[in-house]
Amino acid sequence: MSATAVGSPPRVKLPRWAVPAAAAVAFAVGYVVFRGVGTLPHDDEAGTFVALTDAREWVDDNKNANPVFLYFINYIRLFIDGLFQTFETVLHALGWPGLLGVMGGIGWLAGGWRIALLGVAGFASFGVLGVWEHSVDTLALVATAVLLSLLAGLPLGVWVGRSPRLRRAITPVLDYMQIMPTFAYLAPMVLFFQIGAPAGVAATIIYAIPPAIRITALAIEQVSPTAVEASASLGATRWQTLFKVRLPLARSTMTLAINQTIMMALSMVVIANLIAAPGLGSDIIKGLSRENVGIMLPAGLAIVVMAVVLDRTTMAAARQRAHAGLSLLKLAVAAGIAAVGVGLAYALPPEFPSALELQMGGPVNEAVRWAERTWYPVTDALKEFTTRLLLNPLDGVLTTAPWWLIAAAVLAFAFWAAGVRPALTALGCLLAIALLGLWEHSMQTLTMVFVAVTVTLAIGLLLGIAAARSPRFSAVQRPLLDAAQTMPSFVYLLPALALFGATRFTAIFASVIYAVPPVVRLVEEGLRGVPPTVVEAALSAGSTPGQLLRKVQLPMARKSILLAVNQGIVMTLAMVVLGAMVGGGALGYDVVSGFSQRTDFGMGFAAGIAIVLLGIMLDRITQGADRRPSPQKRKPI
Amino acid sequence: MGLAPESAAIEVKGLWKIFGSAAEKVLNSEDKHLEAAPLREKTGCTAAVRDVSFTVRPGEVFVVMGLSGSGKSTLVRCLTRLIEPSAGEISIGGEDIGKASPTRLREIRRHRVSMVFQHFGLLPHRRVIDNVAYGLEVQGATKAARHERAREILSLVGLDGHGDAYPDQLSGGMQQRVGLARALAVDPEVMLFDEPFSALDPLIRRDMQAEVIRLHREVGKTMVFITHDLSEALKLGERIAIMRSGSIVQLGTPEDLVGAPADDYVADFVRDVPRSHVLTLRWIARPPEPGEALDGPALPAATVVKDAIEVSSGSGHPIRVMDGDELVGVVDRVDMLSFLAGHETPAVRAGA
Amino acid sequence: MKIRLLAGLLTLGLAVAGCGGAKVEDKPSSAAAPSGSQSAAPASGGGTVKIAINPWVGYEASANVVAYLLKKELGYTVELPEIKEQLAWEGFETGDVDVIIENWGHPDLKKQYIDEKKVAQTAGSTGNKGVIGWYIPKWMVDKYPGITDYKNLNKYADLFKTSESGDKGQLLFGDPSYVSNEDALIKNLKLNLKVVTGGSEAALIKGAQQAQEQKKPLLFYFWDPHWLFSKTELARVNLPPYADGCDADPKKVACDYAEMDLDKIVSTKFATSGGKAFDLVKNFTWTNEDQNAVADDMTNNGMSGEDAAKKWVEANTAKWQAWIPK
């Protein structure tokens, strides 16, 4: 509308607002005129689904006959299974005192008595929470996945760090692996490896290996070129330089790679329980399927504790000074601690003493019931309000608008925000989704993502700005953000379910609390990254704090904020999909359904692909916006 | 080392280094003579070293001086092919470096040429002694042997008792001593220094320059020294090559540079150098005028001008400038004063 | 060079190791797992039995009682992995599951895994009769005449509308893995309803209880045997009656669910080498009341599965004594 109003002063500002506004009007008009025409309603029996289900049946019938399975895939499965069972057996055989001792020893090596104590206390809490057995299973899964990830990832990372060509080839692959929502990995794994631990480990490896490769490559690249040159100038061979210079100098950064790999593996391993891998995740799934927070909470806490212990231990190892090597004394102390534990394992009963177990199921469920009763009016109003005022109308628009209108809108928006290539990629993704037969469900998922992202960004910006302006607020908030970012995504479903029961809103709520921390952090960092001299200059010119924020800090933090948007969207998508476990519906539900009903396998598989496509689309658009020059610098069109 | 005394320690002929994917093509065309900016515009390539030739005598300290981006660091790296030259010949101790196989090249780097770096390039995860012993370690020396040698060298560079420290526990100057020790430990014929002291404080830099002079005296290695600091160049260099945009614009003794800059660029460079500290009497001596008294004090031609001032002012007669027994010329008070006042002496060119 | 060498070695290794190839049911050599997570030990005492847990409490009640007896009377270790109905059948093949203690029909899976792959077999009835249906709270029957006839559902569809179902009536469904003809029924009977998945049995129970207590309309998927029937008054909606074969084609179903004899399925490996554990599973049979009692304890009396099983076992010695193999 404003497009026609402007025009008197010959200012270049005109096109910047007119074009999007006109596009919006065109979309609105298009929607009103073509509403209900050219929709792509969901059909459980779509050809693609049937074909995929048939493919799975074929695999199922032939996996004992087809040579690819007989001589290759089944061996991988056996190998992973063997490794997992070895870990499982050893860890269980250590008994709880043995495992505590070993953890204490490792903690001591990594960061002295504090970390040792944290490790022992943390692992002991698994027993106290009454989930010792499942914790050990989870640990075995993590160990298997991390070991294999590192065995493949570290050498590959070193190679990538040394070869720019390989780096160029592998970077987009890693990008996609990282924006792929966890849920999408599961179906193909089941197809190849059947249900159980091996499929879980394989899915986890795919999820956990990118940071191992990426950070190792970075570590190798960052090695002081002078040190490398000095080594070469003294006639060291490439391997000598690699082992004597590059690897030792990259060590602490590479420990970070291990840390990230472990954290990723831990959050994925829990989800892998959906395909019958053993461990803590099964307690959570059990709790979810009974809406019983009392069952979930101990497992959830154990996962968080495990994450914190493993994170702090590896971070402590990473922080060690470059030359604080392993002295014999240190090793001896560590071995001593471990030996005490293992020795005790013989003396003490193998099962964690039940006297020490905390029976929390009852009281927790009481508390949840109380909260439900007391807060019901508030939570229900919140849920109804969001659902009726935001979700349903948007859902209605997206599912009743003609598909080509939406595709055109996305194309136009992506072009405006990010440029030609992202726009074409986005369009390609949408068309592929349509071809997969998942248009309607994708639009529904998109609706949830929109709502969740909007709320996430609003909260994230607010908290980020507050933190950037008040050091005290930032100091209070920081440990909370740290804790939140160590927690595996699955855990976020818990409080959401406890408060809201199983609905779409629950999934959105969970995604918001999952995605807010990184957004807050990026916004805060962006604002703090504004050079102090610029701020001083603005202040000396007499800016109010509000002017400073709007005219100086926010525009200069643009890159960080756009990155926050990107992260927020990618994380929200992953979580909204996972929210199918708590009533999220749409694509995520199709995936769950695919595991639950054989006849829906194809739909679930296709939904996994659609989720990836949505992820790529959203990522490219927001990343493209990040790479674009800021509007101030853009030449008038 | 079995070298014929007259053979050069290092000989470089027509060395080129062009960065960029079209390097080969540029080298074979006339484009290579373009200036830096047009060259990059036309071909996307950068010529870091352009047709450089020089020889370094055994035991000489040869300084390459230039501003950043002049190609000096590339040049020194080309000598042992840390950077692969695009064209030209390099021989060290009579051996053609360009033709050396990777294995042979490694041998040369291990035993014959070593290098000291601007940012030290020490390995933070190793103790000082293991840093010094690194070169011996990659050669495959036993631990006992290399540690013994490393300890010797550490005491030579004045780091006795610091062997068990880690590099980050030492000051910058001490770290560079470690770098120096590491290069010395393999007992090379040639040492290359790539701006080794530019990251150090001025006072420490002066100590280190003195250290290099002392070491040169004690161990007598051939040294190629890269710097962007003229006073450092003048202080250390027996001969100095001044580089600009990849080419050597002048090569000569400090006196040559200060006394007879080859072009405005070099002249600009040496303008602030106190000429009386660098130039010798040879530069200002003039033929005696008829009837001039030739009974003044005699000084060797290589005496730096400032050292002759006192003699000159203490005597009423012109100084006789002698090369051995031969009279090169005379310098009287007026000559001295007008030189100090910065006037060109007509005799200068004649004396060259 | 090196890569090619590696690849070569790998191929060679695979070829040597894999003269016959690896079958899915192969397990890693037992050396890797000395404690034996192998299916089951041949004799009594020791050995592990894996009973899949499907997500409804009646199933859990049966599984817990059997698990309790296996542990306390026969000295087995019992694992109760949380695996949904259809995935559990795959577990027979991979070795992740030995027993499904309460199977609801699944003729297609029986054909595939029992008849074709021969990795599973039935182990007799549980004694429970099961039937799935659509239910409403009792108060609705009194207030809305004829609502229990499916033909009138469209008339009352507006009552069931929620924010999740939009402009159609909501049919609340449970866990995505449950046996379901709902979509086909709605389509074939031309009902103005939309399936909304609550995600769990608990969602159904909570919904039903609230609906009866607060007089809120609700139409939901449910099944018998269930303890809920003894606590909350519910009425079943009459769909077109079941006739043999009317559910043969899942897409064309237009009839109610059949009443089923719930049965036990075990892996063939367990059946042949499960020893006394297998005998106990085979002998296990009880009534709907037995199951409801245990399930009620688990859901409403705050008991863990093991405690509830213990209580039942202590009170019903005569019944379970008959299951213990001699």
Side-chain angles (χ1 to χ4, degrees):
Chain A
M1 278 158 273
S2 59
T4 49
V6 192
S8 34
R11 289 182 51 188
V12 282
K13 274 226 158 172
L14 161 75
R16 260 187 70 203
W17 292 107
V19 172
V25 171
F27 178 78
V29 170
Y31 175 67
V32 172
V33 174
F34 293 105
R35 179 163 193 261
V37 181
T39 58
L40 299 173
H42 184 77
D43 174 15
D44 276 351
E45 309 291 335
T48 41
F49 306 165
V50 174
L52 282 166
T53 305
D54 287 349
R56 182 242 163 84
E57 294 297 331
W58 181 88
V59 167
D60 217 33
D61 291 341
N62 289 282
K63 63 195 170 197
N64 281 341
N66 187 297
V68 176
F69 278 88
L70 216 48
Y71 293 106
F72 187 59
I73 292 176
N74 291 354
Y75 274 110
I76 297 179
R77 182 176 185 281
L78 278 182
F79 171 71
I80 296 178
D81 207 18
L83 194 62
F84 167 68
Q85 292 200 6
T86 310
F87 269 116
E88 198 191 23
T89 310
V90 169
L91 289 180
H92 277 295
L94 279 175
W96 64 271
L99 191 52
L100 290 187
V102 169
M103 206 48 216
I106 293 175
W108 164 262
L109 278 186
W113 63 270
R114 273 165 191 277
I115 299 293
L117 212 61
L118 176 75
V120 171
F123 274 44
S125 76
F126 303 156
V128 174
L129 290 166
V131 289
W132 180 263
E133 299 289 318
H134 280 173
S135 301
V136 172
D137 285 344
T138 294
L139 211 54
L141 270 181
V142 170
T144 313
V146 168
L147 181 71
L148 292 175
S149 297
L150 294 181
L151 278 182
L154 294 187
L156 197 56
V158 171
W159 192 7
V160 171
R162 300 282 296 109
S163 156
R165 193 183 308 168
L166 180 65
R167 181 190 183 75
R168 273 195 300 279
I170 212 171
T171 303
V173 179
L174 296 181
D175 279 349
Y176 288 134
M177 281 163 95
Q178 283 195 308
I179 56 170
M180 245 197 266
T182 46
F183 239 38
Y185 295 122
L186 297 179
M189 292 304 122
V190 173
L191 186 59
F192 290 125
F193 300 119
Q194 282 74 53
I195 57 165
V201 169
T204 306
I205 291 174
I206 298 180
Y207 186 60
I209 210 170
I213 298 174
R214 238 180 241 271
I215 302 179
T216 305
L218 190 70
I220 291 292
E221 275 169 29
Q222 279 177 346
V223 165
S224 147
T226 320
V228 171
E229 206 174 33
S231 175
S233 80
L234 286 163
T237 61
R238 290 210 334 237
W239 289 103
Q240 281 175 327
T241 304
L242 180 65
F243 284 106
K244 290 174 194 283
V245 180
R246 286 186 204 275
L247 288 181
L249 288 188
R251 196 195 70 170
S252 71
T253 315
M254 279 168 75
T255 318
L256 211 62
I258 297 174
N259 169 279
Q260 282 302 299
T261 306
I262 292 177
M263 301 316 284
M264 301 283 275
L266 187 55
S267 76
M268 185 66 193
V269 143
V270 187
I271 294 168
N273 289 140
L274 271 179
I275 48 176
L280 289 169
S282 69
D283 288 322
I284 296 206
I285 291 166
K286 190 170 167 185
L288 287 173
S289 69
R290 290 164 188 64
E291 290 202 16
N292 186 331
V293 179
I295 297 177
M296 283 188 276
L297 193 64
L301 285 177
I303 293 169
V304 174
V305 169
M306 194 182 289
V308 170
V309 170
L310 296 179
D311 180 52
R312 298 300 182 268
T313 307
T314 42
M315 284 307 277
R319 264 196 293 273
Q320 280 184 355
R321 289 163 69 93
H323 46 67
L326 297 174
S327 70
L328 272 180
L329 178 72
K330 264 183 125 177
L331 274 176
V333 173
I337 298 174
V340 168
V342 175
L344 280 176
Y346 284 100
L348 294 169
E351 284 190 14
F352 197 83
S354 53
L356 292 177
E357 279 181 20
L358 199 63
Q359 296 299 337
M360 58 193 316
V364 167
N365 283 334
E366 277 311 309
V368 169
R369 230 161 278 147
W370 176 84
E372 253 173 16
R373 266 199 314 274
T374 330
W375 297 343
Y376 182 77
V378 180
T379 54
D380 193 56
L382 199 60
K383 183 166 78 183
E384 288 289 309
F385 175 83
T386 317
T387 310
R388 287 187 193 280
L389 259 77
L390 285 173
L391 273 178
N392 286 352
L394 189 57
D395 203 284
V397 171
L398 287 182
T399 49
T400 56
W403 68 268
W404 45 264
L405 187 60
I406 297 203
V410 167
L411 183 71
F413 177 76
F415 174 73
W416 173 76
V420 178
R421 281 188 62 172
L424 290 178
T425 310
L427 183 69
C429 290
L430 271 185
L431 293 183
I433 286 172
L435 285 177
L436 278 174
L438 282 161
W439 182 266
E440 186 177 340
H441 284 187
S442 297
M443 288 304 120
Q444 287 168 346
T445 295
L446 212 52
T447 305
M448 288 195 281
V449 171
F450 275 141
V451 173
V453 163
T454 312
V455 180
T456 302
L457 291 182
I459 298 177
L461 272 173
L462 222 61
L463 292 179
I465 290 172
R469 294 177 77 173
S470 153
R472 198 178 306 160
F473 182 72
S474 172
V476 174
Q477 187 177 255
R478 188 143 285 254
L480 290 176
L481 294 183
D482 283 342
Q485 287 199 297
T486 1
M487 270 193 254
S489 49
F490 226 50
V491 174
Y492 289 89
L493 296 178
L494 244 111
L497 186 73
L499 286 173
F500 300 104
T503 59
R504 281 178 293 166
F505 179 78
T506 317
I508 289 177
F509 181 82
S511 352
V512 170
I513 54 178
Y514 176 58
V516 158
V519 171
V520 172
R521 178 157 289 184
L522 284 168
V523 170
E524 185 188 343
E525 275 168 15
L527 291 179
R528 283 188 187 284
V530 174
T533 48
V534 177
V535 174
E536 253 175 14
L539 285 177
S540 71
S543 311
T544 64
Q547 285 174 325
L548 179 69
L549 185 69
R550 270 179 289 115
K551 293 179 187 295
V552 178
Q553 289 173 311
L554 285 180
M556 288 190 75
R558 183 174 178 274
K559 224 175 158 58
S560 283
I561 292 174
L562 281 172
L563 186 62
V565 173
N566 176 272
Q567 285 288 296
I569 287 183
V570 170
M571 290 182 73
T572 308
L573 176 66
M575 197 65 188
V576 156
V577 173
L578 200 56
M581 305 292 301
V582 290
L587 290 179
Y589 183 75
D590 295 340
V591 173
V592 177
S593 223
F595 297 130
S596 308
Q597 306 276 0
R598 292 179 72 87
T599 46
D600 286 343
F601 177 86
M603 184 172 69
F605 195 105
I609 301 174
I611 291 167
V612 175
L613 291 170
L614 271 188
I616 294 174
M617 179 182 104
L618 294 171
D619 178 70
R620 289 299 110 155
I621 294 177
T622 45
Q623 271 211 358
D626 182 17
R627 289 197 194 109
R628 276 231 149 165
S630 61
Q632 292 93 321
K633 286 188 216 147
R634 224 184 294 169
K635 284 182 193 154
I637 306 151
Chain B
M1 257 144 262
L3 286 176
E6 72 276 7
S7 83
I10 303 175
E11 186 162 17
V12 174
K13 269 192 222 152
L15 188 71
W16 282 84
K17 174 64 196 177
I18 296 176
F19 290 106
S21 45
E24 192 71 17
K25 231 171 78 190
V26 173
L27 208 55
N28 295 325
S29 71
E30 282 307 302
D31 288 343
K32 64 182 176 186
H33 299 299
L34 286 173
E35 297 263 320
L39 179 66
R40 177 173 314 197
E41 197 147 304
K42 185 165 175 197
T43 64
C45 292
T46 317
V49 176
R50 296 164 178 259
D51 198 13
V52 166
S53 306
F54 60 87
T55 53
V56 182
R57 293 188 292 266
E60 183 182 14
V61 179
F62 184 85
V63 173
V64 179
M65 208 220 74
L67 299 181
S68 60
S70 61
K72 56 192 189 306
S73 286
T74 308
L75 171 64
V76 75
R77 280 167 175 73
C78 284
L79 295 182
T80 54
R81 283 168 59 195
L82 285 173
I83 291 177
E84 202 63 46
S86 306
E89 284 170 32
I90 300 161
S91 76
I92 293 181
E95 178 163 4
D96 189 338
I97 300 295
K99 293 208 172 70
S101 66
T103 319
R104 180 64 204 148
L105 190 60
R106 235 173 1 246
E107 284 303 307
I108 293 167
R109 290 176 187 171
R110 282 181 182 181
H111 298 290
R112 302 182 63 178
V113 185
S114 65
M115 189 157 169
V116 181
F117 295 86
Q118 178 179 10
H119 297 292
F120 321 148
L122 301 180
L123 306 177
H125 61 288
R126 291 164 162 251
R127 290 175 303 156
V128 162
I129 190 151
D130 288 315
N131 264 288
V132 174
Y134 184 79
L136 299 162
E137 183 180 333
V138 300
Q139 292 174 15
T142 64
K143 190 164 183 175
R146 61 182 197 245
H147 274 193
E148 194 192 327
R149 170 75 181 154
R151 253 186 286 279
E152 261 171 47
I153 299 292
L154 276 175
S155 86
L156 182 67
V157 299
L159 281 179
D160 263 330
H162 287 94
D164 286 333
Y166 284 91
D168 57 3
Q169 295 164 332
L170 303 182
S171 68
M174 285 161 92
Q175 289 190 32
Q176 191 56 298
R177 280 173 202 260
V178 178
L180 203 54
R182 178 176 61 188
L184 276 168
V186 296
D187 193 20
E189 296 157 30
V190 176
M191 291 178 79
L192 309 177
F193 294 80
D194 180 27
E195 299 204 43
F197 309 139
S198 62
L200 302 178
D201 292 339
L203 286 179
I204 298 171
R205 196 183 309 164
R206 212 158 64 197
D207 286 351
M208 293 301 293
Q209 287 160 356
E211 186 75 21
V212 167
I213 292 170
R214 180 179 70 83
L215 282 173
H216 183 243
R217 220 180 292 130
E218 282 177 29
V219 299
K221 308 279 184 203
T222 308
M223 294 180 175
V224 175
F225 199 102
I226 307 293
T227 181
H228 64 254
D229 177 356
L230 183 65
S231 68
E232 186 167 85
L234 295 172
K235 193 167 186 177
L236 299 176
E238 291 171 37
R239 283 188 306 147
I240 301 171
I242 295 198
M243 280 187 83
R244 184 194 183 190
S245 341
S247 312
I248 292 183
V249 289
Q250 185 169 11
L251 196 166
T253 62
E255 288 172 85
D256 292 335
L257 300 182
V258 176
D263 59 10
D264 291 347
Y265 181 76
V266 180
D268 221 24
F269 241 117
V270 300
R271 177 182 301 151
D272 294 330
V273 177
R275 289 149 41 98
S276 60
H277 291 216
V278 178
L279 295 187
T280 55
L281 292 179
R282 185 193 296 279
W283 287 90
I284 54 174
R286 59 174 169 79
E289 279 167 22
E292 206 170 2
L294 288 179
D295 54 353
L299 283 176
T303 310
V304 177
V305 173
K306 82 171 156 78
D307 296 338
I309 294 173
E310 212 176 321
V311 180
S312 165
S313 53
S315 151
H317 300 275
I319 295 171
R320 285 177 296 138
V321 182
M322 308 294 292
D323 188 1
D325 292 335
E326 193 187 329
L327 181 70
V328 176
V330 293
V331 176
D332 63 16
R333 279 189 213 174
V334 182
D335 297 332
M336 198 69 102
L337 282 173
S338 68
F339 169 76
L340 289 173
H343 299 299
E344 282 295 317
T345 324
V348 164
R349 303 292 172 207
Chain C
M1 261 307 255
K2 289 200 169 113
I3 298 161
R4 224 173 302 151
L5 187 70
L6 250 175
L9 277 176
L10 200 69
T11 328
L12 193 70
L14 278 176
V16 169
C19 293
K23 298 247 166 67
V24 169
E25 56 267 33
D26 288 350
K27 276 275 158 190
S29 67
S30 52
S35 81
S37 38
Q38 297 294 86
S39 301
S44 68
T48 302
V49 183
K50 296 174 184 168
I51 307 178
I53 294 291
N54 290 172
W56 61 93
V57 69
Y59 184 108
E60 265 192 284
S62 299
N64 271 295
V65 168
V66 171
Y68 184 81
L69 291 174
L70 281 172
K71 272 191 264 188
K72 299 291 162 174
E73 297 299 319
L74 300 181
Y76 280 87
T77 311
V78 182
E79 284 179 21
L80 300 173
E82 194 79 12
I83 305 184
K84 307 209 166 177
E85 282 177 84
Q86 303 202 2
L87 283 184
W89 284 80
E90 280 183 45
F92 289 140
E93 197 176 11
T94 61
D96 288 303
V97 174
D98 296 322
V99 181
I100 291 177
I101 203 73
E102 179 181 299
N103 173 57
W104 287 65
H106 294 302
D108 52 332
L109 293 173
K110 282 184 174 167
K111 179 165 166 267
Q112 188 176 10
Y113 287 94
I114 296 179
D115 301 341
E116 289 170 7
K117 300 197 175 200
K118 302 194 193 319
V119 292
Q121 47 186 272
T122 54
S125 164
T126 63
N128 297 125
K129 296 271 181 262
V131 62
I132 301 170
W134 292 3
Y135 292 84
I136 51 174
K138 182 71 166 33
W139 69 266
M140 293 190 82
V141 181
D142 307 331
K143 192 163 173 192
Y144 303 105
I147 196 172
T148 52
D149 186 340
Y150 79 93
K151 290 184 190 114
N152 294 326
L153 277 179
N154 277 347
K155 196 165 81 189
Y156 294 115
D158 278 357
L159 289 173
F160 300 118
K161 271 202 232 170
T162 66
S163 62
E164 294 294 307
S165 68
D167 51 4
K168 294 182 177 174
Q170 165 180 290
L171 169 59
L172 187 65
F173 186 66
D175 188 288
S177 66
Y178 289 166
V179 173
S180 166
N181 296 333
E182 274 53 46
D183 284 322
L185 281 167
I186 290 174
K187 201 163 132 201
N188 297 331
L189 298 175
K190 303 196 170 49
L191 299 174
N192 188 26
L193 297 173
K194 182 182 174 192
V195 179
V196 171
T197 305
S200 65
E201 179 188 29
L204 294 174
I205 294 172
K206 204 198 267 176
Q209 286 173 333
Q210 277 176 1
Q212 179 64 5
E213 282 162 23
Q214 302 168 12
K215 299 273 184 290
K216 283 205 280 191
L218 180 73
L219 173 66
F220 64 105
Y221 168 104
F222 214 63
W223 62 94
D224 191 37
H226 204 288
W227 59 263
L228 185 66
F229 290 104
S230 61
K231 306 255 171 170
T232 305
E233 284 190 291
L234 303 170
R236 188 167 173 194
V237 174
N238 297 309
L239 298 170
Y242 176 82
D244 251 351
C246 75
D247 58 357
D249 183 349
K251 285 174 215 163
K252 296 192 178 136
V253 180
C255 61
D256 212 339
Y257 289 92
E259 188 177 90
M260 277 178 267
D261 258 330
L262 307 186
D263 55 357
K264 298 157 288 188
I265 313 289
V266 297
S267 71
T268 308
K269 215 184 281 170
F270 181 66
T272 49
S273 61
K276 289 190 169 185
F278 171 63
D279 292 335
L280 174 64
V281 170
K282 200 172 63 186
N283 295 341
F284 165 74
T285 165
W286 64 353
T287 63
N288 286 8
E289 287 71 35
D290 288 323
Q291 189 186 68
N292 288 344
V294 178
D296 185 26
D297 277 340
M298 286 173 66
T299 319
N300 300 313
N301 300 337
M303 287 193 193
S304 69
E306 186 162 2
D307 293 343
K310 184 164 178 248
K311 180 179 159 194
W312 184 89
V313 165
E314 280 165 3
N316 296 279
T317 320
K319 282 190 183 167
W320 61 260
Q321 284 288 1
W323 307 339
I324 302 297
K326 298 292 168 296

